[in-house]
Amino acid sequence: HGASARAPDGVEVVDAGGDEIVSNSVRGSYTSILPRLQVNYRPTRDLVFRGAFFTSIARPDLSDMGELDVDFIDTIVADGDGTALEEVLTVTLPNPALKPAYSYNFDLGGEWYFSRSGVLSANLFYKKIDKFIFAGIRRSGASGLAATDLNSIGGLENVDFTEFDDVIVDQVSNGDTAKIYGVEFNFNVQLDDWVKSWWGGFGLLANLTLQDSETTVPITDNYARMVPFFNSPKYVGNVALTYEKY
C-alpha cells in the first residue's frame, strides 16, 4: 500500500512502494511475579499518610515481535547543483526476543481533608523500569549496520542493498534501566462547604507534577548516551474551575 509522510526541507517523496510483510513464527514464555504492599496511617480524622510499593509490567506489541515490514521510497533531494533522485529502503525488523518491561514503584504521600469536600495532598514517587521498550533507528554506514547483517534475515536474503542510496533500519528493542522520580501536588475544593447560595456550586481543581528522569540508550554498538526518559516532561499541571449545584 502507499505511504505518505512529511519530508524534511529539500526532500520530496515522489513514490512509496508497496510494503512486504513476511510471516514469522516464534514460541516463547515468561513468568512475572508482581508483589504489592500498601500502608495507610491516619493520626487524626482529617490527616492521612499513605505508602506503597508495587510492581507492574508492560508487554510488547505482537507486531514488534514478528512482523517484517519493507518500504521502497524514491525521494527528490535538493542540493547546490539542483535536484537528485535517491532511492531509500526502510526496513522495520521484528524482534521476537522482546521481553516485557518490569517496573518497581514507590509512593509516599499525605492528604489533609480541611473541609467536607476539600483536600490538599502531596506525594513523592520513584519508579525504576527494567528492560523498557524503545524503537531504535540506524542508517546505512552507521556502526553495526551492514548488508550482510540484513541478508541473514528471512525475507531479505536476495535483496541487493547496494542498489539503494540509503538504508534505514528500525527495530524495537529492550533497553537497560530507566528511573523516574518526583513529587505531585493536588488541591480540590468546593465553595458549597462555606457558601449556601448559588455561588456555592463553584469549585476548583488543581494539580502539579514536578519530575525528573534518566536512562541510557545505545547510539551505536560502542556508544550510549544518557537522556531523559521518553514522554516524561519535567512539569505537568492542570487547573479547572467547576460548577455543580442543581
Side-chain angles (χ1 to χ4, degrees), residues 225-238:
R225 183 173 62 184
M226 181 170 290
V227 297
F229 192 60
F230 323 108
N231 299 320
S232 296
K234 285 183 174 292
Y235 312 103
V236 180
N238 294 281

Side-chain angles (χ1 to χ4, degrees), residues 200-214:
F202 284 102
L204 179 66
L205 302 174
N207 59 73
L208 175 66
T209 299
L210 310 176
Q211 66 180 5
D212 206 348
S213 62
E214 60 184 50

Side-chain angles (χ1 to χ4, degrees), residues 16-155:
D19 296 350
E20 176 187 351
I21 300 177
V22 179
S23 62
N24 189 11
S25 177
V26 176
R27 182 183 298 273
S29 64
Y30 60 87
T31 300
S32 297
I33 300 176
L34 305 175
R36 174 183 293 265
L37 176 64
Q38 293 178 289
V39 177
N40 294 340
Y41 174 59
R42 189 183 293 268
T44 67
R45 181 180 178 181
D46 302 329
L47 190 62
V48 181
F49 294 100
R50 307 181 190 275
F53 163 74
F54 60 97
T55 55
S56 57
I57 63 172
R59 297 180 177 88
D61 292 335
L62 292 178
S63 60
D64 294 331
M65 301 178 68
E67 184 177 284
L68 173 63
D69 190 1
V70 181
D71 282 325
F72 304 92
I73 303 175
D74 291 337
T75 62
I76 295 177
V77 180
D79 55 29
D81 299 327
T83 60
L85 183 66
E86 289 190 353
E87 294 185 346
V88 179
L89 176 69
T90 64
V91 181
T92 300
L93 298 178
N95 187 352
L98 278 176
K99 302 296 184 183
Y102 194 97
S103 177
Y104 303 86
N105 308 276
F106 299 87
D107 288 322
L108 180 63
E111 302 170 3
W112 174 40
Y113 295 88
F114 56 87
S115 67
R116 183 170 57 88
S117 62
V119 59
L120 176 65
S121 66
N123 184 65
L124 297 172
F125 63 89
Y126 175 86
K127 178 181 295 187
K128 178 176 176 286
I129 307 173
D130 290 341
K131 296 183 175 64
F132 63 89
I133 300 170
F134 74 102
I137 298 177
R138 293 184 292 173
R139 306 180 76 97
S140 58
S143 173
L145 176 57
T148 53
D149 298 330
L150 296 174
N151 283 133
S152 63
I153 298 171

